């Protein structure tokens, strides 16, 4: 376990079957992390394995300069540790240990040959620490392997690694007729996948669970689907697909040539050949497992390795994904602002509970509290016009613990509460493909509460000692006791009360008691 009492950096290197990646992580002085640098180079190591299962060292030598430069990047970022792992392509080669020894000798790294079950385990850590989900299957289709993991109550139950992936199955079944796949090739791959799956009965014994997908195949399908439907958010993490969405690409892609696939919006040019076997593997297993729907994860193996580095093996699974994310963002704020944001969050929730006459809706409280704690995040970009920066950051960044609808709701509650320029905009039209019919009203009502709570700490010095709020029908009695004159707050509270009356259809009787200095 790494001591995270102060900021430190680690380089996580993943030598996969299709690509080699490096991510430089920096942990916070409290909780959370940020990614400082990402590097990726295509490798397709699965494609260089001979029919006898040997990975020739002369072919492996092509990745040595990449690994050396990744190590140089890590040193430039002054990482305290580099953790490099190799997965399926090298693991499945009959001379895998020789390959690792050669690469370590040529690069000076200490590369680990990761067993298939551990690859599934780290993928599990990456998923459950970035998505608020309790039960499901995880499928990670790489270039040379496919890992399946069952988790329940946020605990990994079973994992298995199969020696087939998008690259090696393309070599075995595809590559004919300019990239077209015929029925015989499709059936051959499906039969092989089913034979492997049937050897592990637990895979089909939990119908109705979501399938959380990692890797390039499901991300590519998600991006194509988003472009096809003109999706209003630029975010793939936690994007959901239904069975028929993947079925569509399963039916359309195999008969196309590689050149034709290059013209599909959202599909990367270096994936036009391997998208077909990846899609076939994905759909075959989804149907066999009788999953409810797909959830795309933007995090996986490398994030899992980070969490183990930061928190240790015993504590690698987070108790509360969203709270960890919020604290990660808060950690980079100056202390006076942290105190301000926590005060505003507390006051917002108190107001909501008072207006609901004690009926506490946990989901609305979650949205309101999150928006309150993050409503000034745009100040990291610029103090002026920070509301629009807040909206942009919250709707384009994958916020762990929130699905896409919750992300949009939090973003607009935040900027409504910041007196942002959205009061005349129709948010429900702008995000009609994500929001529900009553969400416009939800944003405005919760935003009005946040605006009022923020007005009670305009100076960011926490002058409000006590607040008492009681609702009786349409009448809302609000008494605020301040420890100072609180002149800034008095002006802002008076203005914010008007929006509260409008959005909640209440009559506010406001009493603000301050300390006189005369």
């Amino acid at each position: 376990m790494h001591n995270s009492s102060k900021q430190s950096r680690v380089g996580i290197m993943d030598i996969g079957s299709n690509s080699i990646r490096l991510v430089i992580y920096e942990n916070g002085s409290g909780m959370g992390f940020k990614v400082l640098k990402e590097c990726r180079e295509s490798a397709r190591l699965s494609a260089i394995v001979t029919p006898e299962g040997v990975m020739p060292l002369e072919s492996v030598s092509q990745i040595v300069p990449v690994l050396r430069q990744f190590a140089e990047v890590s040193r430039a970022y002054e990482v305290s540790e580099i953790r490099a792992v190799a997965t399926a392509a090298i693991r499945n080669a009959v001379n895998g240990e020789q390959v690792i020894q050669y690469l370590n000798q040529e690069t000076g790294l200490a590369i680990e040959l990761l067993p298939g079950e551990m690859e599934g385990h780290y993928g599990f850590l990456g998923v459950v620490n970035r998505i608020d989900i309790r039960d499901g299957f995880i499928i990670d289709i790489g270039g040379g392997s496919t890992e399946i993991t069952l988790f329940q109550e946020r605990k990994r139950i079973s994992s298995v690694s199969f020696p087939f992936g998008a690259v090696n199955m393309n070599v075995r079944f595809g590559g004919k007729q300019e990239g077209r796949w015929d029925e015989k090739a499709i059936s051959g791959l499906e039969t092989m996948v089913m034979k492997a799956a049937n050897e592990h009965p637990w895979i089909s014994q939990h119908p109705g669970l979501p399938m959380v997908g990692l890797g390039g195949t499901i991300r590519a399908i998600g991006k194509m689907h988003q472009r096809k439907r003109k999706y209003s958010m630029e975010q793939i993490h936690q994007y959901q697909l239904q069975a028929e969405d993947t079925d569509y690409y399963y039916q359309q892609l195999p008969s196309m040539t590689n050149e034709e696939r290059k013209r599909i919006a959202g599909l990367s040019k270096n994936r036009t050949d391997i998208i077909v076997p990846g899609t076939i593997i994905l759909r075959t297993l989804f149907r066999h497992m009788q999953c409810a729907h797909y959830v795309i994860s933007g995090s996986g193996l490398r994030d899992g390795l980070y969490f183990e580095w930061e928190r240790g093996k015993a504590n690698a699974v987070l108790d509360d994904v969203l709270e960890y994310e919020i604290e990660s963002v808060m950690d980079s704020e100056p202390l006076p602002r942290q105190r301000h944001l926590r005060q505003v969050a507390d006051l917002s929730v108190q107001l909501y509970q008072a207006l609901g006459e004690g009926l506490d809706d946990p989901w609305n409280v979650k949205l309101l509290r999150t928006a309150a704690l993050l409503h000034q995040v745009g100040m990291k970009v610029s103090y002026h016009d920070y509301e629009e920066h807040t909206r942009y950051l919250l709707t384009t960044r994958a916020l762990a613990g929130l699905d896409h609808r919750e992300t949009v709701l939090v973003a607009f509650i935040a900027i409504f509460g910041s007196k942002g320029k959205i009061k005349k905009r129709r948010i429900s039209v702008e995000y009609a493909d994500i929001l529900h019919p009553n969400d416009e009203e939800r944003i405005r009502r919760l935003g009005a509460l946040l605006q009022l709570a923020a007005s009670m700490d305009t100076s960011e010095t926490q002058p409000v000692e006590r607040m008492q709020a009681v609702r009786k029908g349409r009448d809302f009695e609000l008494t605020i006791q301040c420890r100072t004159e609180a002149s800034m707050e008095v002006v802002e509270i008076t203005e914010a009360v008007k929006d509260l009356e409008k959005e909640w259809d209440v009559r506010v009787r406001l009493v603000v008691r301050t300390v006189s200095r005369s």
Side-chain angles (χ1 to χ4, degrees), residues 182-203:
D182 57 26
E183 289 298 325
K184 182 179 178 181
I186 295 170
S187 177
L189 177 52
E190 289 176 334
T191 299
M192 195 187 78
V193 171
M194 285 300 300
K195 181 181 178 182
N198 283 327
E199 293 177 0
H200 302 270
W202 59 268
I203 291 177

Side-chain angles (χ1 to χ4, degrees), residues 182-425:
D182 57 26
E183 289 298 325
K184 182 179 178 181
I186 295 170
S187 177
L189 177 52
E190 289 176 334
T191 299
M192 195 187 78
V193 171
M194 285 300 300
K195 181 181 178 182
N198 283 327
E199 293 177 0
H200 302 270
W202 59 268
I203 291 177
S204 60
Q205 291 174 351
H206 302 274
L209 292 178
M211 175 185 276
V212 183
L214 311 181
T217 293
I218 195 164
R219 285 199 301 269
I221 293 173
K223 289 175 182 177
M224 288 188 291
H225 189 255
Q226 286 183 338
R227 294 289 292 274
K228 180 171 173 280
R229 62 180 287 204
K230 296 180 173 61
Y231 192 60
S232 57
M233 277 185 70
E234 297 178 11
Q235 187 180 129
I236 199 68
H237 182 64
Q238 292 202 198
Y239 186 67
Q240 294 193 12
L241 294 162
Q242 302 305 314
E244 58 269 23
D245 300 328
T246 299
D247 288 350
Y248 171 82
Y249 293 105
Y250 168 84
Q251 293 158 4
Q252 296 292 319
L253 293 173
S255 61
M256 301 170 70
T257 66
N258 290 331
E259 286 301 316
E260 289 171 334
R261 292 187 204 112
K262 286 181 180 179
R263 296 194 285 272
I264 300 176
L267 181 61
S268 171
K269 300 298 184 289
N270 63 5
R271 195 168 284 277
T272 53
D273 54 348
I274 60 175
I275 186 61
V276 176
T279 302
I280 294 170
I281 294 169
L282 182 69
R283 178 182 182 269
T284 302
L285 289 169
F286 180 91
R287 289 164 66 88
H288 176 63
M289 296 151 74
Q290 301 179 65
C291 290
H293 58 272
Y294 303 86
V295 180
I296 301 175
S297 175
S299 59
L301 171 69
R302 292 175 296 280
D303 294 291
L305 288 163
Y306 167 79
F307 280 109
E308 183 180 86
W309 172 81
E310 184 207 26
R311 300 173 59 82
K313 292 182 179 180
N315 301 301
V317 176
L318 299 173
D319 294 325
D320 190 321
V321 177
L322 180 58
E323 195 63 24
Y324 180 91
E325 179 80 350
I326 290 171
E327 290 300 324
S328 174
V329 177
M330 291 279 287
D331 185 61
S332 62
E333 297 284 3
L335 284 175
R337 183 157 298 137
Q338 290 187 36
R339 290 191 289 267
H340 164 67
L341 294 171
R342 295 188 195 284
Q343 170 90 336
V344 172
D346 290 343
L347 292 172
S348 296
V349 172
Q350 288 179 47
L351 286 167
Y352 177 80
Q353 292 170 336
L355 280 163
E357 297 179 326
L359 297 177
D360 182 2
D361 180 340
W363 191 59
N364 278 335
V365 169
K366 168 186 167 181
L367 297 173
L368 177 58
R369 179 176 178 274
T370 304
L373 290 168
L374 301 181
H375 80 280
Q376 291 183 330
V377 70
M379 289 185 181
K380 296 177 188 296
V381 179
S382 171
Y383 183 86
H384 301 287
D385 295 323
Y386 75 87
E387 298 92 347
E388 281 302 312
H389 298 310
T390 293
R391 180 198 64 80
Y392 176 80
L393 289 173
L394 292 181
T395 55
T396 58
R397 180 179 183 270
L399 200 61
L402 298 181
D403 62 27
H404 285 198
R405 179 186 172 208
E406 291 171 331
T407 297
V408 174
L409 288 169
V410 164
F412 281 96
I413 292 166
I415 62 173
F416 191 103
S418 305
K419 299 188 294 183
K421 304 171 184 177
I422 70 161
K423 292 191 169 74
K424 295 182 180 179
R425 284 164 58 177

Side-chain angles (χ1 to χ4, degrees), residues 13 15 81-87 100 104 109-115 122 305 308:
M13 206 177 296
I15 306 168
E81 183 181 345
I82 297 175
R83 186 166 184 190
V85 299
T87 56
I100 292 294
N104 286 342
L109 294 167
I111 302 168
E112 305 169 48
L113 190 55
L114 206 61
Y122 288 121
L305 288 163
E308 183 180 86

